[in-house]
């Protein structure tokens, strides 16, 4: 870490590509229907990560988070991801 | 459905409360460190849902999504949730 490192919070959403079957989402949609939420049309289930990291600036932080998604957090064959990086305070 | 129903997309994030142990997040943080992402400080793992629903207006849609979170999607004892509702088009 250099002295100018800033702390960032990355909020990452990983979801299945639209063409991939999502039995978990289908099950949840059915359960919501059984609970009386009959206006629900469909549910897609995915994962959510909050990653706290240090970086010199927001562009660097976003680049690191993108690599994390590509290499570990998402499976690029069947999943898509999106994220938002927010600066918290100087680390 | 009335004829004025609008389709909404609710994007819901469910995460463990800060005081609750998150072994999955800890494991992911360790794996990211092993991959060379040594600027990662912590990871919290959660779930992400995309719910497509119909409602007469955004306020109604938000109220329905809140009830879904309370009753099925999140465990209010150990989890918190946040969501955003976006109008898509007339259903």
């Amino acid at each position: 870490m250099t002295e100018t490192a800033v702390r960032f919070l990355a909020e990452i959403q990983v979801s299945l590509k639209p063409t991939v079957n999502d039995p978990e989402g289908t099950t949840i949609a059915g359960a919501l229907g059984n609970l009386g939420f009959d206006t629900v049309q469909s549910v897609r289930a995915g994962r959510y990560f909050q990653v706290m990291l240090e970086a010199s600036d927001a562009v660097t932080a976003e680049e690191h988070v993108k690599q994390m998604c590509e290499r570990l957090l998402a499976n690029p064959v069947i999943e898509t991801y999106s994220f938002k990086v927010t600066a918290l305070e100087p680390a």
Side-chain angles (χ1 to χ4, degrees), chain A:
Chain A
M1 295 303 96
T2 66
E3 298 217 10
T4 56
V6 178
R7 214 143 63 96
F8 291 91
L9 170 66
E11 296 177 279
I12 304 163
Q13 285 98 23
V14 177
S15 39
L16 290 166
K17 289 184 180 174
T19 51
V20 178
N21 271 340
D22 180 6
E24 184 186 354
T26 308
T27 303
I28 293 168
L32 287 171
N34 290 342
L35 283 172
F37 295 107
D38 52 7
T39 56
V40 171
Q41 296 184 326
S42 68
V43 177
R44 301 286 288 175
R47 285 167 298 131
Y48 173 61
F49 303 103
Q50 293 170 307
V51 177
M52 204 82 83
L53 75 160
E54 287 183 356
S56 50
D57 55 62
V59 173
T60 309
E62 284 177 6
E63 182 53 37
H64 285 180
V65 172
K66 186 165 177 285
Q67 287 175 23
M68 290 176 208
C69 291
E70 297 279 346
R71 293 183 60 192
L72 184 75
L73 300 178
N75 176 349
V77 178
I78 56 167
E79 291 174 327
T80 58
Y81 59 86
S82 63
F83 61 83
K84 194 181 74 179
V85 168
T86 316
L88 294 178
E89 84 262 27

